[in-house]
Amino acid sequence: MGNLPLLHPEDQVFEAMLDGWRSQQLARNLAYTTVEERERTVRVFTAHTEAYPWAWMPQLADEWFTDLRAIRHCVKSTVRGYQVAIRGFCSYITDPAYGWPELCEQRFGTHPIQIIYDINSAAHVADSEADAAKRAFTREELQTLFDHVDDQVARKRALGKKGWLSAFRDATLLKTAYAYGLRRNETRMLDAVDFGRNPRGPEFGDFGVCYVRYGKAQRGSPPKRRSVLTVWTWSVDVLEQWFTEARPLFRWDSRAAWPSERNSRIAGKTLDNRLAAYRDELGLDPALDFHSLRRSYVTHLIEDGWDPRFVQEQVGHNHASTTSIYTCVSSDYRTRTLRTALDNILASAITTVPGGSR
């Protein structure tokens, strides 16, 4: 490109930079969605600055991030994600191996520099940056939600409305997400064949194990697979009814566990919207979202005395510290735990005093 005449050199060089950066990221096995999102960030930043990358300065980045924080009220993790994208792009176009500094000097009389440094970027120091308001459902809230979605199915079916089938799907997938501690995309991407028998749990029949094939991926790696063992017998009844009575009525001949009215598989955004709608109809806390079902799964297993390592394996966490972040044990559980500890201390004291019943 350095020796070729260009009709619009600035635009063409910028697009060539993005093309090369895209190839570099794909060579690192980054997901297409990650690459596309980072490219979108660079384009938005370029439009904001009204300057091409070889004219960028750290001050331009500072101004943009100030706008994102103060005017647009972006959360901290979002801002840091943007900083990672800009830093990565600048690292690529300033690397001599790719020749962009030399080309820019020849064509524009200047060269790109790195504009994101430790002194003007956010450090990732916390184990979790989730909104502090986000939490698990209490058992009462969860029961209220499930009763409500079941009522929607019964009401619409009694009235002869065609929406009863979608309501049935919503009720089943929400219960399944909770029953196996699944993330949103893990739930959405389940297929009908992703359930199987557990030889150590024959009472669960064909639904003793849920095979998650689209778990959260590590950077540059494919989706992480895991198997989640069924722990509650009620989930078997829910799944059997769905797969034998309701799902066959969808017009889509799809392998997806949760087909939609218009597509072979329900969209992730639809899952968020449906849960939010049910939550708002009930007047529940707006902080409760789809991921709260996963938080509830962890919390309720820990409250019920399940081994923390088992819970960690079930939800696919590499570290126990990550599982502990998800645990939102209720005040009632803590009260019971304290009462048990105090009773044990008292009983031990009684048996060790002179004249005690040891």
Side-chain angles (χ1 to χ4, degrees), residues 109-144:
T110 185
H111 58 83
I113 63 172
Q114 178 61 262
I115 64 171
I116 305 295
Y117 302 93
D118 291 343
I119 61 172
N120 70 339
S121 61
H124 190 179
V125 296
D127 291 330
S128 174
E129 292 185 331
D131 185 344
K134 301 297 184 182
R135 63 174 177 82
F137 286 88
T138 66
R139 295 176 190 265
E140 293 75 15
E141 288 172 333
L142 202 60
Q143 189 62 58
T144 298

PDB file of all heavy atoms in Angstrom, residues 109-144:
ATOM      1  N   GLY A 109       3.233  12.146   7.298  1.00  0.00           N
ATOM      2  CA  GLY A 109       4.256  12.904   8.007  1.00  0.00           C
ATOM      3  C   GLY A 109       4.203  12.749   9.518  1.00  0.00           C
ATOM      4  O   GLY A 109       4.802  13.538  10.254  1.00  0.00           O
ATOM      5  N   THR A 110       3.539  11.762  10.006  1.00  0.00           N
ATOM      6  CA  THR A 110       3.470  11.478  11.434  1.00  0.00           C
ATOM      7  C   THR A 110       3.219   9.987  11.618  1.00  0.00           C
ATOM      8  O   THR A 110       3.067   9.255  10.632  1.00  0.00           O
ATOM      9  CB  THR A 110       2.351  12.293  12.115  1.00  0.00           C
ATOM     10  OG1 THR A 110       2.401  12.078  13.525  1.00  0.00           O
ATOM     11  CG2 THR A 110       0.976  11.884  11.593  1.00  0.00           C
ATOM     12  N   HIS A 111       3.177   9.530  12.844  1.00  0.00           N
ATOM     13  CA  HIS A 111       3.009   8.092  13.095  1.00  0.00           C
ATOM     14  C   HIS A 111       2.131   7.890  14.326  1.00  0.00           C
ATOM     15  O   HIS A 111       2.040   8.769  15.196  1.00  0.00           O
ATOM     16  CB  HIS A 111       4.365   7.419  13.298  1.00  0.00           C
ATOM     17  CG  HIS A 111       5.156   8.000  14.437  1.00  0.00           C
ATOM     18  ND1 HIS A 111       4.956   7.628  15.742  1.00  0.00           N
ATOM     19  CD2 HIS A 111       6.131   8.948  14.459  1.00  0.00           C
ATOM     20  CE1 HIS A 111       5.764   8.298  16.532  1.00  0.00           C
ATOM     21  NE2 HIS A 111       6.499   9.120  15.774  1.00  0.00           N
ATOM     22  N   PRO A 112       1.481   6.738  14.421  1.00  0.00           N
ATOM     23  CA  PRO A 112       0.601   6.475  15.581  1.00  0.00           C
ATOM     24  C   PRO A 112       1.421   6.206  16.834  1.00  0.00           C
ATOM     25  O   PRO A 112       2.567   5.744  16.764  1.00  0.00           O
ATOM     26  CB  PRO A 112      -0.188   5.237  15.153  1.00  0.00           C
ATOM     27  CG  PRO A 112       0.703   4.543  14.165  1.00  0.00           C
ATOM     28  CD  PRO A 112       1.437   5.639  13.439  1.00  0.00           C
ATOM     29  N   ILE A 113       0.819   6.479  17.982  1.00  0.00           N
ATOM     30  CA  ILE A 113       1.440   6.200  19.275  1.00  0.00           C
ATOM     31  C   ILE A 113       0.421   5.474  20.166  1.00  0.00           C
ATOM     32  O   ILE A 113      -0.773   5.464  19.882  1.00  0.00           O
ATOM     33  CB  ILE A 113       1.911   7.484  19.987  1.00  0.00           C
ATOM     34  CG1 ILE A 113       0.699   8.392  20.307  1.00  0.00           C
ATOM     35  CG2 ILE A 113       2.949   8.218  19.145  1.00  0.00           C
ATOM     36  CD1 ILE A 113       1.047   9.585  21.181  1.00  0.00           C
ATOM     37  N   GLN A 114       0.914   4.893  21.215  1.00  0.00           N
ATOM     38  CA  GLN A 114       0.025   4.301  22.222  1.00  0.00           C
ATOM     39  C   GLN A 114      -0.579   5.433  23.053  1.00  0.00           C
ATOM     40  O   GLN A 114       0.139   6.329  23.501  1.00  0.00           O
ATOM     41  CB  GLN A 114       0.805   3.348  23.125  1.00  0.00           C
ATOM     42  CG  GLN A 114      -0.004   2.713  24.248  1.00  0.00           C
ATOM     43  CD  GLN A 114      -1.169   1.870  23.747  1.00  0.00           C
ATOM     44  OE1 GLN A 114      -2.314   2.352  23.714  1.00  0.00           O
ATOM     45  NE2 GLN A 114      -0.874   0.643  23.341  1.00  0.00           N
ATOM     46  N   ILE A 115      -1.887   5.422  23.238  1.00  0.00           N
ATOM     47  CA  ILE A 115      -2.531   6.508  23.986  1.00  0.00           C
ATOM     48  C   ILE A 115      -3.174   6.027  25.286  1.00  0.00           C
ATOM     49  O   ILE A 115      -3.696   6.835  26.049  1.00  0.00           O
ATOM     50  CB  ILE A 115      -3.597   7.221  23.118  1.00  0.00           C
ATOM     51  CG1 ILE A 115      -4.740   6.264  22.767  1.00  0.00           C
ATOM     52  CG2 ILE A 115      -2.963   7.823  21.874  1.00  0.00           C
ATOM     53  CD1 ILE A 115      -5.921   6.953  22.097  1.00  0.00           C
ATOM     54  N   ILE A 116      -3.138   4.720  25.542  1.00  0.00           N
ATOM     55  CA  ILE A 116      -3.691   4.178  26.787  1.00  0.00           C
ATOM     56  C   ILE A 116      -2.544   3.618  27.618  1.00  0.00           C
ATOM     57  O   ILE A 116      -1.868   2.676  27.206  1.00  0.00           O
ATOM     58  CB  ILE A 116      -4.730   3.071  26.519  1.00  0.00           C
ATOM     59  CG1 ILE A 116      -5.827   3.576  25.586  1.00  0.00           C
ATOM     60  CG2 ILE A 116      -5.328   2.582  27.840  1.00  0.00           C
ATOM     61  CD1 ILE A 116      -6.669   4.695  26.165  1.00  0.00           C
ATOM     62  N   TYR A 117      -2.331   4.218  28.766  1.00  0.00           N
ATOM     63  CA  TYR A 117      -1.268   3.799  29.669  1.00  0.00           C
ATOM     64  C   TYR A 117      -1.871   3.444  31.022  1.00  0.00           C
ATOM     65  O   TYR A 117      -3.060   3.655  31.271  1.00  0.00           O
ATOM     66  CB  TYR A 117      -0.239   4.929  29.838  1.00  0.00           C
ATOM     67  CG  TYR A 117       0.393   5.398  28.551  1.00  0.00           C
ATOM     68  CD1 TYR A 117      -0.155   6.466  27.845  1.00  0.00           C
ATOM     69  CD2 TYR A 117       1.536   4.775  28.035  1.00  0.00           C
ATOM     70  CE1 TYR A 117       0.414   6.907  26.656  1.00  0.00           C
ATOM     71  CE2 TYR A 117       2.113   5.216  26.854  1.00  0.00           C
ATOM     72  CZ  TYR A 117       1.553   6.280  26.165  1.00  0.00           C
ATOM     73  OH  TYR A 117       2.117   6.708  24.995  1.00  0.00           O
ATOM     74  N   ASP A 118      -1.020   2.957  31.908  1.00  0.00           N
ATOM     75  CA  ASP A 118      -1.505   2.637  33.249  1.00  0.00           C
ATOM     76  C   ASP A 118      -2.024   3.873  33.969  1.00  0.00           C
ATOM     77  O   ASP A 118      -2.940   3.780  34.798  1.00  0.00           O
ATOM     78  CB  ASP A 118      -0.388   1.994  34.079  1.00  0.00           C
ATOM     79  CG  ASP A 118      -0.019   0.605  33.595  1.00  0.00           C
ATOM     80  OD1 ASP A 118      -0.840   0.018  32.846  1.00  0.00           O
ATOM     81  OD2 ASP A 118       1.065   0.108  33.951  1.00  0.00           O
ATOM     82  N   ILE A 119      -1.468   5.028  33.655  1.00  0.00           N
ATOM     83  CA  ILE A 119      -1.865   6.240  34.380  1.00  0.00           C
ATOM     84  C   ILE A 119      -3.199   6.803  33.904  1.00  0.00           C
ATOM     85  O   ILE A 119      -3.761   7.684  34.566  1.00  0.00           O
ATOM     86  CB  ILE A 119      -0.776   7.330  34.278  1.00  0.00           C
ATOM     87  CG1 ILE A 119      -0.548   7.719  32.803  1.00  0.00           C
ATOM     88  CG2 ILE A 119       0.517   6.868  34.931  1.00  0.00           C
ATOM     89  CD1 ILE A 119       0.372   8.916  32.635  1.00  0.00           C
ATOM     90  N   ASN A 120      -3.708   6.359  32.759  1.00  0.00           N
ATOM     91  CA  ASN A 120      -5.011   6.871  32.304  1.00  0.00           C
ATOM     92  C   ASN A 120      -5.976   5.746  31.945  1.00  0.00           C
ATOM     93  O   ASN A 120      -6.851   5.899  31.100  1.00  0.00           O
ATOM     94  CB  ASN A 120      -4.857   7.839  31.131  1.00  0.00           C
ATOM     95  CG  ASN A 120      -4.427   7.158  29.841  1.00  0.00           C
ATOM     96  OD1 ASN A 120      -3.870   6.056  29.863  1.00  0.00           O
ATOM     97  ND2 ASN A 120      -4.665   7.816  28.711  1.00  0.00           N
ATOM     98  N   SER A 121      -5.809   4.617  32.603  1.00  0.00           N
ATOM     99  CA  SER A 121      -6.731   3.498  32.379  1.00  0.00           C
ATOM    100  C   SER A 121      -7.097   2.878  33.716  1.00  0.00           C
ATOM    101  O   SER A 121      -6.354   2.981  34.701  1.00  0.00           O
ATOM    102  CB  SER A 121      -6.112   2.446  31.455  1.00  0.00           C
ATOM    103  OG  SER A 121      -4.933   1.903  32.028  1.00  0.00           O
ATOM    104  N   ALA A 122      -8.243   2.221  33.744  1.00  0.00           N
ATOM    105  CA  ALA A 122      -8.743   1.617  34.978  1.00  0.00           C
ATOM    106  C   ALA A 122      -8.093   0.261  35.204  1.00  0.00           C
ATOM    107  O   ALA A 122      -7.964  -0.538  34.277  1.00  0.00           O
ATOM    108  CB  ALA A 122     -10.259   1.470  34.909  1.00  0.00           C
ATOM    109  N   ALA A 123      -7.672   0.022  36.420  1.00  0.00           N
ATOM    110  CA  ALA A 123      -7.088  -1.270  36.774  1.00  0.00           C
ATOM    111  C   ALA A 123      -8.190  -2.229  37.183  1.00  0.00           C
ATOM    112  O   ALA A 123      -9.187  -1.836  37.786  1.00  0.00           O
ATOM    113  CB  ALA A 123      -6.091  -1.104  37.911  1.00  0.00           C
ATOM    114  N   HIS A 124      -8.002  -3.504  36.843  1.00  0.00           N
ATOM    115  CA  HIS A 124      -8.955  -4.541  37.239  1.00  0.00           C
ATOM    116  C   HIS A 124      -8.435  -5.155  38.535  1.00  0.00           C
ATOM    117  O   HIS A 124      -7.620  -6.068  38.522  1.00  0.00           O
ATOM    118  CB  HIS A 124      -9.054  -5.589  36.135  1.00  0.00           C
ATOM    119  CG  HIS A 124     -10.180  -6.546  36.349  1.00  0.00           C
ATOM    120  ND1 HIS A 124     -10.479  -7.565  35.473  1.00  0.00           N
ATOM    121  CD2 HIS A 124     -11.101  -6.647  37.338  1.00  0.00           C
ATOM    122  CE1 HIS A 124     -11.526  -8.246  35.915  1.00  0.00           C
ATOM    123  NE2 HIS A 124     -11.907  -7.709  37.043  1.00  0.00           N
ATOM    124  N   VAL A 125      -8.908  -4.651  39.659  1.00  0.00           N
ATOM    125  CA  VAL A 125      -8.386  -5.094  40.950  1.00  0.00           C
ATOM    126  C   VAL A 125      -9.396  -5.882  41.768  1.00  0.00           C
ATOM    127  O   VAL A 125      -9.041  -6.557  42.726  1.00  0.00           O
ATOM    128  CB  VAL A 125      -7.901  -3.881  41.778  1.00  0.00           C
ATOM    129  CG1 VAL A 125      -6.743  -3.205  41.091  1.00  0.00           C
ATOM    130  CG2 VAL A 125      -9.031  -2.884  42.009  1.00  0.00           C
ATOM    131  N   ALA A 126     -10.669  -5.815  41.418  1.00  0.00           N
ATOM    132  CA  ALA A 126     -11.709  -6.499  42.195  1.00  0.00           C
ATOM    133  C   ALA A 126     -12.032  -7.855  41.582  1.00  0.00           C
ATOM    134  O   ALA A 126     -11.973  -8.030  40.368  1.00  0.00           O
ATOM    135  CB  ALA A 126     -12.976  -5.646  42.249  1.00  0.00           C
ATOM    136  N   ASP A 127     -12.368  -8.830  42.437  1.00  0.00           N
ATOM    137  CA  ASP A 127     -12.777 -10.142  41.931  1.00  0.00           C
ATOM    138  C   ASP A 127     -14.086 -10.056  41.165  1.00  0.00           C
ATOM    139  O   ASP A 127     -14.333 -10.804  40.230  1.00  0.00           O
ATOM    140  CB  ASP A 127     -12.936 -11.123  43.093  1.00  0.00           C
ATOM    141  CG  ASP A 127     -11.603 -11.478  43.737  1.00  0.00           C
ATOM    142  OD1 ASP A 127     -10.592 -11.458  43.021  1.00  0.00           O
ATOM    143  OD2 ASP A 127     -11.592 -11.752  44.944  1.00  0.00           O
ATOM    144  N   SER A 128     -14.930  -9.149  41.584  1.00  0.00           N
ATOM    145  CA  SER A 128     -16.234  -8.996  40.932  1.00  0.00           C
ATOM    146  C   SER A 128     -16.564  -7.517  40.830  1.00  0.00           C
ATOM    147  O   SER A 128     -16.397  -6.761  41.779  1.00  0.00           O
ATOM    148  CB  SER A 128     -17.323  -9.714  41.736  1.00  0.00           C
ATOM    149  OG  SER A 128     -18.602  -9.457  41.189  1.00  0.00           O
ATOM    150  N   GLU A 129     -17.034  -7.127  39.635  1.00  0.00           N
ATOM    151  CA  GLU A 129     -17.443  -5.752  39.437  1.00  0.00           C
ATOM    152  C   GLU A 129     -18.943  -5.655  39.164  1.00  0.00           C
ATOM    153  O   GLU A 129     -19.418  -4.697  38.593  1.00  0.00           O
ATOM    154  CB  GLU A 129     -16.661  -5.135  38.281  1.00  0.00           C
ATOM    155  CG  GLU A 129     -15.185  -4.963  38.589  1.00  0.00           C
ATOM    156  CD  GLU A 129     -14.444  -4.236  37.493  1.00  0.00           C
ATOM    157  OE1 GLU A 129     -14.872  -4.357  36.321  1.00  0.00           O
ATOM    158  OE2 GLU A 129     -13.459  -3.557  37.778  1.00  0.00           O
ATOM    159  N   ALA A 130     -19.654  -6.673  39.556  1.00  0.00           N
ATOM    160  CA  ALA A 130     -21.095  -6.672  39.344  1.00  0.00           C
ATOM    161  C   ALA A 130     -21.747  -5.570  40.160  1.00  0.00           C
ATOM    162  O   ALA A 130     -21.258  -5.175  41.219  1.00  0.00           O
ATOM    163  CB  ALA A 130     -21.682  -8.029  39.737  1.00  0.00           C
ATOM    164  N   ASP A 131     -22.853  -5.097  39.651  1.00  0.00           N
ATOM    165  CA  ASP A 131     -23.624  -4.086  40.366  1.00  0.00           C
ATOM    166  C   ASP A 131     -23.961  -4.623  41.756  1.00  0.00           C
ATOM    167  O   ASP A 131     -24.464  -5.741  41.904  1.00  0.00           O
ATOM    168  CB  ASP A 131     -24.900  -3.797  39.573  1.00  0.00           C
ATOM    169  CG  ASP A 131     -25.732  -2.668  40.170  1.00  0.00           C
ATOM    170  OD1 ASP A 131     -25.497  -2.300  41.339  1.00  0.00           O
ATOM    171  OD2 ASP A 131     -26.610  -2.159  39.457  1.00  0.00           O
ATOM    172  N   ALA A 132     -23.660  -3.821  42.772  1.00  0.00           N
ATOM    173  CA  ALA A 132     -23.898  -4.275  44.144  1.00  0.00           C
ATOM    174  C   ALA A 132     -25.368  -4.602  44.395  1.00  0.00           C
ATOM    175  O   ALA A 132     -25.694  -5.385  45.293  1.00  0.00           O
ATOM    176  CB  ALA A 132     -23.422  -3.203  45.127  1.00  0.00           C
ATOM    177  N   ALA A 133     -26.261  -4.010  43.600  1.00  0.00           N
ATOM    178  CA  ALA A 133     -27.694  -4.265  43.791  1.00  0.00           C
ATOM    179  C   ALA A 133     -28.093  -5.658  43.309  1.00  0.00           C
ATOM    180  O   ALA A 133     -29.118  -6.194  43.724  1.00  0.00           O
ATOM    181  CB  ALA A 133     -28.517  -3.205  43.063  1.00  0.00           C
ATOM    182  N   LYS A 134     -27.298  -6.246  42.418  1.00  0.00           N
ATOM    183  CA  LYS A 134     -27.635  -7.561  41.883  1.00  0.00           C
ATOM    184  C   LYS A 134     -27.553  -8.604  42.980  1.00  0.00           C
ATOM    185  O   LYS A 134     -26.622  -8.621  43.777  1.00  0.00           O
ATOM    186  CB  LYS A 134     -26.693  -7.935  40.738  1.00  0.00           C
ATOM    187  CG  LYS A 134     -26.708  -6.960  39.566  1.00  0.00           C
ATOM    188  CD  LYS A 134     -28.064  -6.905  38.891  1.00  0.00           C
ATOM    189  CE  LYS A 134     -28.034  -6.003  37.657  1.00  0.00           C
ATOM    190  NZ  LYS A 134     -29.363  -5.898  37.023  1.00  0.00           N
ATOM    191  N   ARG A 135     -28.536  -9.494  43.019  1.00  0.00           N
ATOM    192  CA  ARG A 135     -28.574 -10.501  44.086  1.00  0.00           C
ATOM    193  C   ARG A 135     -29.344 -11.719  43.632  1.00  0.00           C
ATOM    194  O   ARG A 135     -29.899 -11.759  42.530  1.00  0.00           O
ATOM    195  CB  ARG A 135     -29.230  -9.910  45.326  1.00  0.00           C
ATOM    196  CG  ARG A 135     -30.698  -9.490  45.131  1.00  0.00           C
ATOM    197  CD  ARG A 135     -31.317  -9.047  46.443  1.00  0.00           C
ATOM    198  NE  ARG A 135     -32.687  -8.579  46.317  1.00  0.00           N
ATOM    199  CZ  ARG A 135     -33.759  -9.366  46.280  1.00  0.00           C
ATOM    200  NH1 ARG A 135     -33.609 -10.680  46.349  1.00  0.00           N
ATOM    201  NH2 ARG A 135     -34.977  -8.853  46.174  1.00  0.00           N
ATOM    202  N   ALA A 136     -29.388 -12.707  44.507  1.00  0.00           N
ATOM    203  CA  ALA A 136     -30.181 -13.907  44.256  1.00  0.00           C
ATOM    204  C   ALA A 136     -31.636 -13.658  44.625  1.00  0.00           C
ATOM    205  O   ALA A 136     -31.962 -12.766  45.407  1.00  0.00           O
ATOM    206  CB  ALA A 136     -29.630 -15.069  45.080  1.00  0.00           C
ATOM    207  N   PHE A 137     -32.526 -14.473  44.052  1.00  0.00           N
ATOM    208  CA  PHE A 137     -33.911 -14.499  44.497  1.00  0.00           C
ATOM    209  C   PHE A 137     -33.960 -15.148  45.887  1.00  0.00           C
ATOM    210  O   PHE A 137     -33.234 -16.109  46.146  1.00  0.00           O
ATOM    211  CB  PHE A 137     -34.776 -15.353  43.564  1.00  0.00           C
ATOM    212  CG  PHE A 137     -35.093 -14.739  42.236  1.00  0.00           C
ATOM    213  CD1 PHE A 137     -34.226 -14.902  41.159  1.00  0.00           C
ATOM    214  CD2 PHE A 137     -36.264 -14.020  42.039  1.00  0.00           C
ATOM    215  CE1 PHE A 137     -34.522 -14.359  39.916  1.00  0.00           C
ATOM    216  CE2 PHE A 137     -36.567 -13.471  40.814  1.00  0.00           C
ATOM    217  CZ  PHE A 137     -35.700 -13.632  39.740  1.00  0.00           C
ATOM    218  N   THR A 138     -34.809 -14.648  46.742  1.00  0.00           N
ATOM    219  CA  THR A 138     -35.109 -15.414  47.947  1.00  0.00           C
ATOM    220  C   THR A 138     -35.971 -16.601  47.529  1.00  0.00           C
ATOM    221  O   THR A 138     -36.535 -16.624  46.422  1.00  0.00           O
ATOM    222  CB  THR A 138     -35.860 -14.568  48.979  1.00  0.00           C
ATOM    223  OG1 THR A 138     -37.162 -14.234  48.450  1.00  0.00           O
ATOM    224  CG2 THR A 138     -35.108 -13.281  49.305  1.00  0.00           C
ATOM    225  N   ARG A 139     -36.110 -17.558  48.380  1.00  0.00           N
ATOM    226  CA  ARG A 139     -36.942 -18.714  48.043  1.00  0.00           C
ATOM    227  C   ARG A 139     -38.396 -18.300  47.821  1.00  0.00           C
ATOM    228  O   ARG A 139     -39.075 -18.829  46.940  1.00  0.00           O
ATOM    229  CB  ARG A 139     -36.848 -19.764  49.154  1.00  0.00           C
ATOM    230  CG  ARG A 139     -35.443 -20.360  49.299  1.00  0.00           C
ATOM    231  CD  ARG A 139     -35.366 -21.321  50.467  1.00  0.00           C
ATOM    232  NE  ARG A 139     -33.991 -21.703  50.754  1.00  0.00           N
ATOM    233  CZ  ARG A 139     -33.384 -22.796  50.290  1.00  0.00           C
ATOM    234  NH1 ARG A 139     -34.046 -23.623  49.489  1.00  0.00           N
ATOM    235  NH2 ARG A 139     -32.130 -23.073  50.607  1.00  0.00           N
ATOM    236  N   GLU A 140     -38.849 -17.340  48.624  1.00  0.00           N
ATOM    237  CA  GLU A 140     -40.228 -16.879  48.470  1.00  0.00           C
ATOM    238  C   GLU A 140     -40.417 -16.161  47.132  1.00  0.00           C
ATOM    239  O   GLU A 140     -41.427 -16.360  46.441  1.00  0.00           O
ATOM    240  CB  GLU A 140     -40.601 -15.947  49.625  1.00  0.00           C
ATOM    241  CG  GLU A 140     -40.677 -16.615  50.988  1.00  0.00           C
ATOM    242  CD  GLU A 140     -39.315 -16.931  51.585  1.00  0.00           C
ATOM    243  OE1 GLU A 140     -38.291 -16.373  51.083  1.00  0.00           O
ATOM    244  OE2 GLU A 140     -39.246 -17.729  52.538  1.00  0.00           O
ATOM    245  N   GLU A 141     -39.453 -15.320  46.761  1.00  0.00           N
ATOM    246  CA  GLU A 141     -39.536 -14.615  45.474  1.00  0.00           C
ATOM    247  C   GLU A 141     -39.504 -15.598  44.309  1.00  0.00           C
ATOM    248  O   GLU A 141     -40.238 -15.438  43.328  1.00  0.00           O
ATOM    249  CB  GLU A 141     -38.380 -13.623  45.353  1.00  0.00           C
ATOM    250  CG  GLU A 141     -38.503 -12.410  46.251  1.00  0.00           C
ATOM    251  CD  GLU A 141     -37.255 -11.562  46.240  1.00  0.00           C
ATOM    252  OE1 GLU A 141     -36.151 -12.116  45.991  1.00  0.00           O
ATOM    253  OE2 GLU A 141     -37.351 -10.347  46.496  1.00  0.00           O
ATOM    254  N   LEU A 142     -38.667 -16.607  44.434  1.00  0.00           N
ATOM    255  CA  LEU A 142     -38.555 -17.585  43.360  1.00  0.00           C
ATOM    256  C   LEU A 142     -39.853 -18.369  43.210  1.00  0.00           C
ATOM    257  O   LEU A 142     -40.324 -18.609  42.087  1.00  0.00           O
ATOM    258  CB  LEU A 142     -37.391 -18.523  43.663  1.00  0.00           C
ATOM    259  CG  LEU A 142     -36.769 -19.273  42.488  1.00  0.00           C
ATOM    260  CD1 LEU A 142     -36.227 -18.308  41.453  1.00  0.00           C
ATOM    261  CD2 LEU A 142     -35.641 -20.178  42.983  1.00  0.00           C
ATOM    262  N   GLN A 143     -40.440 -18.759  44.319  1.00  0.00           N
ATOM    263  CA  GLN A 143     -41.704 -19.485  44.261  1.00  0.00           C
ATOM    264  C   GLN A 143     -42.802 -18.613  43.671  1.00  0.00           C
ATOM    265  O   GLN A 143     -43.633 -19.075  42.880  1.00  0.00           O
ATOM    266  CB  GLN A 143     -42.102 -19.965  45.653  1.00  0.00           C
ATOM    267  CG  GLN A 143     -43.294 -20.915  45.654  1.00  0.00           C
ATOM    268  CD  GLN A 143     -42.996 -22.189  44.884  1.00  0.00           C
ATOM    269  OE1 GLN A 143     -42.045 -22.905  45.219  1.00  0.00           O
ATOM    270  NE2 GLN A 143     -43.799 -22.477  43.862  1.00  0.00           N
ATOM    271  N   THR A 144     -42.801 -17.334  44.040  1.00  0.00           N
ATOM    272  CA  THR A 144     -43.784 -16.396  43.491  1.00  0.00           C
ATOM    273  C   THR A 144     -43.623 -16.266  41.985  1.00  0.00           C
ATOM    274  O   THR A 144     -44.614 -16.247  41.235  1.00  0.00           O
ATOM    275  CB  THR A 144     -43.622 -15.008  44.152  1.00  0.00           C
ATOM    276  OG1 THR A 144     -43.864 -15.130  45.556  1.00  0.00           O
ATOM    277  CG2 THR A 144     -44.590 -14.006  43.556  1.00  0.00           C
TER     278      THR A 144
END
